Amino acid sequence: MVLQSEIVNALSYATSKGYQIHPDAFAMLKGLETDVLKAVQEIIKQKKQTKMIVVDDIKNVVNPGRQEELVPVEQIAKVLVDPTPNVNTGEGVDGYASLFKSRFEKTMRILAQRPDSKRMTKISTVKQMGKGAGPRPAAAGERSLGSAGTYVVSGLLMSRRTKKNGIELEVDDYTGRLQVTAMSEDAKKQAASLALDQVVMLELENAKGMPGLAIKNVFSPDIPDHLPNKSRSEAYAVLISDLHVGSKYFMQQEFLRFLDWLASGDDDDVVRKIKFLCIGGDLIDGIGIFPNQDKELLMMNAAAQMAYTTKLLSKIPKHIKTFIIPGNHDPGRRALPQPIFPEATSGGLYGLENCTMLGNPAYVELNGVKVLMFHGQSLDDVIATTPGMSYQRPAEAMKVLLKARHLSPTYGGRTPVAPESEDMMVMTEIPDIFHAGHVHVTDVDSYRGTLVVNSGAWQAQTKFQQTMGITPSPGIAIVVNLATLQPFKQDFNLMTT
Amino acid sequence: MISEGEARLRDIRMPAYYRRYQHDILASVQKYYEHALKARRKGIDVADVVEPKIAFDLADRVAKMHNIEIAERLRALLGQTTKEKAALKIAEEIAKGEYGTGDLRTRLDNAVRVSLAVVTEGVTVAPLQGISDVTIKNNSDGSQYLSVSFAGPIRSAGGTEAALTMLIADHARKVAGLDTYKANSFDDETGRFVEELRIYEREVMGFQFKVLDEDVIKCISSLPVELDGVDTDPVDVVGHKGMRRIATDRVRGGALRVMNDGLIGRSRKLLKLVETLKLDGWQWLKELKGAIQTGDDDAAHHRMSEVITGRPVLSMVKKVGGFRLRYGRSPNTGFATVGIHPAVPALLNYAIVAGTQIKMDIPGKASTIALVDTVEPPVVRMDDGRVLAVLSVEQAEKIRTRVQKILYLGDMLISYGDFLENNAQLPPASYVEEIWALQLRAKLAAPDASSMDSSIDRDRLVQLAEHPFTITPTVDEAFEISRKLGIPLHPRHSFYFDVITVQELLYLKERLAGLPNDPELKAILEKLGVSHSVASNNNKIVLDDLSQAKSLSILLSGPAIGEGAKDAIELVTKSSGITVMPKFASSIAVRVGRPEKAAERKMKPPVHVLFPIGTKGGATRDIIKACGEESLFTQIANRYCETCRLPSLGTHCRSCGASTMLRSQCPICKGEVEEGEKCPRCNRDGRTYASMNFPLRAALQMAEKKLGVRAQEPLKGVKSLMSRDKAAEPLEKGILRQKHELHAFKDGTIRFDATNEPLTHFTPAWIGVSVDKLKELGYTRDYLGRELSSSDQLVELMMQDVIIPRDSAKHLVKAAKFIDEELEKLYEQEPFYNVDRIDDLVGHLVVGLAPHTSVGIMGRIIGFTDSQVCLGSPIWHSAKRRDCDGDADSIMLLMDAFLNFSFDFLPDKIGGLMDAPLLIQPTVLPHEVQRQAHNVDIASSYPLEFYEATWKQAKAADVASMIEIVKSRIGEETQFFGYGFTHPTAGLTTREQRSAYSTLNTMDEKLKMQFDTAKLISAVDADEVAAMVLTTHILPDIMGNMRSYSSQTFRCTNCGEKFRRMPLVGKCTECGNGLTQTVTRGAVEKYLGIATGFCQEYKINEYLKSRVESISAELKLIFQEEKKVQSSLTEFMA
C-alpha cells in the first residue's frame, strides 16, 4: 500500500502542472505498489490532449507488458468471505428492515469515495425545498460543487414506471420517498438500466415546464476501473457449474471426459498447472424444484443424487483444490444468501479432503487473485427487467450486478432474498474474477479490470429451456491462467472434439 | 313498456296461459319502474332516471349496448337465419357503412364488436371490454391489414365465440378491401406467441386446453387478420421484446386466450362453422393438431388428480364400486347437474349435499349434485360383516356409524344432453331396469307376441314394461320372462358379474352350497353386490335376501361349461342359458369441487355506502371516525350548487332543489374545461372530479336527522371511488343499510349469491308454497293436465319462475324493508314491498345476474328451498349465460336495481362493466338463450336403440335423432311447455343442507373428513388421495408461501398502504405507522405437519417423500429454531 504522504505529493504535483486526477484513477493510484509520484510524473510527460489523468494512463505506465518471472507454481488458497456463519439471523419485518438498512449503509460507504458524494442531500431536505415555492435555483452558499441548481440524492430504487414524458423513478432513503423523472434520452437510458432496489445516486435539476424534479445524471456505485491482482506464477483455475446430476439431461459422458482430462496432468503443460477448481452450484437437479420434475429425473431423492455427485467428484485429482457453492437446485435453502450444503443430505461430499464447501456467494483468493463465486439466481431478474439483456449473453447481465455493486439487487422478483440482518450480497470487495453460472450459457468478458465468467453447464437442453427458447452451451470448462487472467474454453462435447 | 314488450312477443307462438304469464311480468316491471322513476326524479342520486335499460330481445340488447340503430335489421336477420350468419351479415353491412358514416376504422371496429355481441347474445361485456381496439396496420410490404386487439374480459365470451370474432373480422376485412396480415413481417411474431403462451401458463395461469408449439406457429402464421392484445398481467416476456407490431413486452392474456382456447382449442368446432358460413381462407384450421383429442384424456386425468385439501375424492377412475353411470334426466337434473341416490350424502356424513359442485372425468368438467331416489342405491358393508343395500336416508342415518365400507356408491344419473353438449363418447350403458322394460315392451309389441307361451299374465307384463321404477318382477317371473321371451335377466335379480374373474366365479360356484366364511369368498360376494351377513358362530355366510339367493343358485347351478370363457358374464350366460348383461359397465370418477354456496355478496372490506373517505376512517373505513374533523379532504365528483355554495352528490341540491352541474376542471389550473376538449392553458384533459373539502360531519348529521336513525360505528365507506366521475352515494343509504344489516356491492345494489340448479318440474310441497298461492301465480294444472289440488302433484315450472334458498329469502326480506324505508324517508315516496315474512316475497320480481355479464334476467319468486341452490328452468339459467356446473349467480330485488344501481359507480377500468345490471331483460325466450340449453333433453324415456348405440361406442352427436332435445322444438309453441323427464324423484333435498366442507371450521377437521371419506369408499384409495393432495395442494402451498415469504410485500397496519419492499424508513411513508408482513412464518409452515404426517401414515412414493424432506430441511434454514433472546448490553452492565 502506498503511504498517504506519497499520494498527497503526487496529487499536488499533478495539480501544480494543471492536471486533474479522475476519481477512478485516484483510487487506482492508492492501490499501486510502485512509486506513485514517479508514475504521475511519467504520465504527465506522455500526456498530450487532455488535462485529466484517467485509469488507462496509469495502466500504460505501470504495466507495460510485465514480464513473467519464472517462479515455482504456487498453490495458496484463502477463503475471504463465506456467508454461512451469518445466515439465518433475522425474520419478518425487523429482518427486512435491517437488511435494506445494511445494504444502504454498506453501499453508501462505497459511494462516499466519489467526490460528488459530498453534495449529497437527504430526500426530506429536497422535498422541503421543493415545497410551496416550487422548484428553486440553487441558492448561494449551498454546498454545491458541481453545476448550479442541481441536487444530489441517493437511495434505494423503489419503483420505475414508464410515463408519457419519461421514466419516473422513485427512490427512498432514511428520510422519505421521492419521485423524479428521467426526461432526456441520456437520463432515460441510464434510468432504464438500473436494477430495482439497488443503491443509486441521482443528480437532479428542476424539470422544465412541469412541477417536480428531473434527473440529470444517474450514478451506480459500480466497481472502479482497476488493475486486477495476479498470480506470481503460472497457475490455472478451472471454473464450472450446473452439473444437474440426477437429471435425465445430465451429460455424464462429457463430464467424465472432463474428469479424465483433469487427471491427465502428466502429458499436458496446462493441465499440470491446474491448481484450483471452482464449482458454481447446482451440483444436482434436486427434488421438487419445478412442477412434475419427477418425469425428468433418474434419481428420485436428493441424497442419492448427492451421493452420485460425490462419487463423480472423487475423481478430481487430490492436488486440485476445489471450492463448491450451492445453487438453487441443491439441498439447503433457496433464499439468498445460501449456507453450505446441509451435511445430512450431502451424500458424503464432506469426505472429499480436497474440496471446500462454501455458501453462496463466497470470495476466495487463489494465489492472490480474488474470485467471487456466485451461483447467479438473480441473473433471471436482471435479464427479465433490463433492456437489451438476453440469456445468450449472461456476462452482460453479470456486469449489471457489478455496476450495482450487489449480487441480487431486486427484491420481490424471481430471486428469493432472506431477511438477514446484514446484507451479504453487497460487493464490498472488488473481485478480480466474477464467476457465476445458473443460465447454462458459457460467456466470458471483462469489465473494468474484472474477468467476468459464466461457466455454462453439464446438462443438455431441457424441455423448459426449449419452451423458453434458451440454447445452452453445455460441456465446456472455463480455464483461467491466474498469472495473466487470460481465460480459454476447453470443450468436452463429443462432436466438437 | 308493456306495449313494446308485447310487440316483441306478438309473433311468437305460445299458449294462452303463457302469454298471460309474460304480460303479468311486463306489467309488474312497468309498475316497479314507474315507482322507482318517481323516486329518482327527486335528484338525490347521481342520475335522475332509472339507469338499467330495458331490453326485450337479443337485437335490442345488442343495439342498446352499442348505441347503434340496428335492432330492426338485426331482428329481421335473426328471424331468417342463425345467429352466426346474422352476425356475419350485420358485420358486412356495418363495414360497408350502411348504419352511419364514420371512417373505415370506426366502421370495422363497430362491425367486429356488434357481431361478437350477436354471437354472445348481447349478454356479456366481451364486445365492449373484451375487444380493446380494432385498427388498420401495415405489413412490411406496405399493404394494409386489419388488427384486432383483445383484453382480459374476452374470457366472458367463451372460446368458440371469441375465435369466431377473428373469422368475422376477416370477413369485414375482405368487404373493406384490406389485404391479409402477414405474420413475421418485421420480427418473430410466431416465436413471440410461443414464448408468451408458455410464460403465461407458468406465471399467470393455465388455459383450458394444452396446445402444441407447432399449432401456435401454424395458427399465427396463417391468420389473415392480426391477433393482438393489451397486456393483462405484470409479467414480461424475455426473448421477444420491443417488437415493432406488438406494443407491449408483457403477456397479453386476452390474445393468448383467443388463440389457445379459441382458434386452436376449438379448431374443429370452428371448421364446422367455416363450412356452414362458407368462409374462405380458414382451411388451415384443418391442419392444426388441435388440443381436443390429444388433451382430453390427459385433461380428465389431470382434473381428477388435482385434489385440494379437505375436498374429498368420491370415486376413482376404473375402480369397482364407484359411481355407476346411469343415463337419464330427472326434473331436477340435466344441464350439467347430475343425480345421485339421497342415501349417499347421508352415508358420507354429508361430505356432499344437493348443490355441491363435483369435478368428473366424463362427460364434462364439472357438475352440480342433485338428489334422485329412483336410481340404484348404495351397497355397504357393516362392522359385523353384513352387506346390504341402503334404500333410504333414514336407514342410512341409522346405520351410518356402523358402516365400515361403501362397496358401491350407486348410480350417478347423467342426462344425454350433457353428453351431447360436450360431444362426448357415450360409455356403454349398464343394464338397468328401464332397458329391461324397453326390451320387454319391444317383445310385447312384436307381431308374434300374441302366441307367446307364458304363464305370466299379459297385463302383468304390460305393467312391468310401463313402470320400470315402481314395479319389479319377482325372481320367478324374471327367470320365466327371460326363458320364454329371450330377454336378459332383470337387473334387480342379476349381479355385478362383470367385475369378477372366471376363477372367482368358479370359486363361488364350488362353495355356494356351504358358503363357508372365508375372506376370499366374502370378497367375491361383496363384489357381486350380494346382500349377506356372517352367522354369529362365524363359520358361515348367510344370504339375507331370499330372492337373491334363489337367483344366484339358478345362475350357478348349470354345468360349468367352458372354463375357457372369456369372462364371468359369458360363463354365467352359457352355463345357465339365461342372458346376463354387464351391470357395472361404466363408472364416473368424481371428486368434490367447490362447496355449494348461498351467501350475501360483500365487498372486501364490506361497505355500507359508496362514499370515499381515504385513510381517515382507519382500517374499517369508518365514516363516523372520518367525521372527527369538520370537513374531509376527499376526491369526489365535481358537482356543486351555485346558489348554496355547497358540493352536491345528486343531480339536484339537497338544500334548495336547484339542479347541479357536473363540471369538468383542468387538474392543474382548476379552470373550467369544455366537455371533450382540453384546457386551453395547460392542454390537459378536464376531470369531472376534484379533491375538495367535503362538509362530511354536517352531511352525516343532516342524514341522521332526515332518517331519524343514528348511524353506528363503524359506518363503512370506501377508501376511494374507482369510477370515472367518482360519484358517491347519499349517506342516508348507508345508514339504512347498516340498520338493516346489509352491505352494498360496487354498483350500489344488494346481492345474494347462490349455486345454480336446474328444475323443470316441482310439487307445491317441495317449494313450501300452498296450492292456492300457486294458483294465484297461474299454476292451475299439473304436468299431466289434471287440475292442481294437492301439494304432491307434479307441476311444470314456468320459465322465469325461481325457487330461492330460504337463507337468501331472509336476506331479501331485509333488503325489501331497507328499500321501503329508503323510499319513505329519503325519497318521501310510498313504500313498495311492505313485506314481513319470506312468504310475502312470493310473486315478487328479482334480477338474476351472472358474473362476467351485464344483462340481468327477470325472475319471479314462487317458492323456497332449504338447500343452498337457486332453482330455475335451464332456459332461465341459460338466459344468464350459465349452465349449472356448480357456479353461483347473484340475485337482487328488481326495485334495488332500479333505485340504487348507477352506472356512475362502476370502476373505470377494463372489466368494470362486468357483473352489473346495465340492461334488464323482462322476458326469456327459449330460442334466444345460449345454445347449451338447447341441448337439454326433454324426452320422457330414451329409446332402446340409444342404449344399444352406447354398447357400440357411439358418440353423442351420432344418436341425436333418437332423443328429443329443446332444440327440436325451437320456434314451436311447445318450446315453452311439455318437457319430459326419464326418472322421477320424490324430493329435492335431505336433512342436511350444507356440506361438511362448509360446516367444518379448521383445515385439520376438513382434512380428517376428506380421509375418513376416502377410507369409507371402496372405489377410493387413501394412499393415492394423500399423494394427490400433497402434489396439487400441500407442497405447492408450502413452496409458494416459502417463496412469497422471501419476496413478500409489507402493509401499513393503520392506513393499509402496501409496500413492494420494506422502505428504508422502516415504517409507513404515508402515515408513519408500523408495517406488518403479509406472509408470516405461520402461513408458510401451516401445512408442514400435514405433509410429514402423510409420509408416515400413507404409502407415498420416494420422490414425494424426498420433496417433503427437502422442504422441511429448507424451512429449518429459513426460520430460526426458536426466537433467540437478545440480551442487551445494559443487562451486562447492571
Side-chain angles (χ1 to χ4, degrees), chain A residues 88-89 91-92 96 100 156-158 172 177 197 287-288 293 301-302 332-334 384 411 417 464, chain B residues 202 241 1039 1045-1048 1060-1061 1063-1064 1069-1070 1077 1081 1102-1103 1106-1107 1114 1116-1118 1120:
Chain A
N88 210 352
T89 53
E91 257 186 60
Y96 281 112
F100 290 108
L156 295 183
L157 183 57
M158 180 65 101
D172 73 319
R177 294 201 281 184
D197 305 317
I287 296 290
Q293 191 182 8
N301 77 65
R333 78 169 192 194
R334 283 186 241 190
Y411 172 80
V417 178
F464 171 73
Chain B
R202 199 178 61 250
K241 280 182 180 176
M1039 286 183 58
Y1045 177 80
S1046 341
S1047 54
Q1048 65 177 300
R1060 180 185 63 82
R1061 120 165 103 70
L1064 276 173
T1069 56
E1070 301 298 305
Q1077 47 184 349
R1081 177 176 185 164
E1102 188 192 359
Y1103 172 73
S1106 181
R1107 277 188 73 181
E1114 183 165 2
K1116 287 204 184 90
L1117 288 167
I1118 293 183
Q1120 290 145 358

Side-chain angles (χ1 to χ4, degrees), chain B residues 851-863:
Chain B
H852 303 290
T853 71
S854 48
V855 180
I857 305 298
M858 199 56 55
R860 184 178 72 164
I861 299 172
I862 62 156

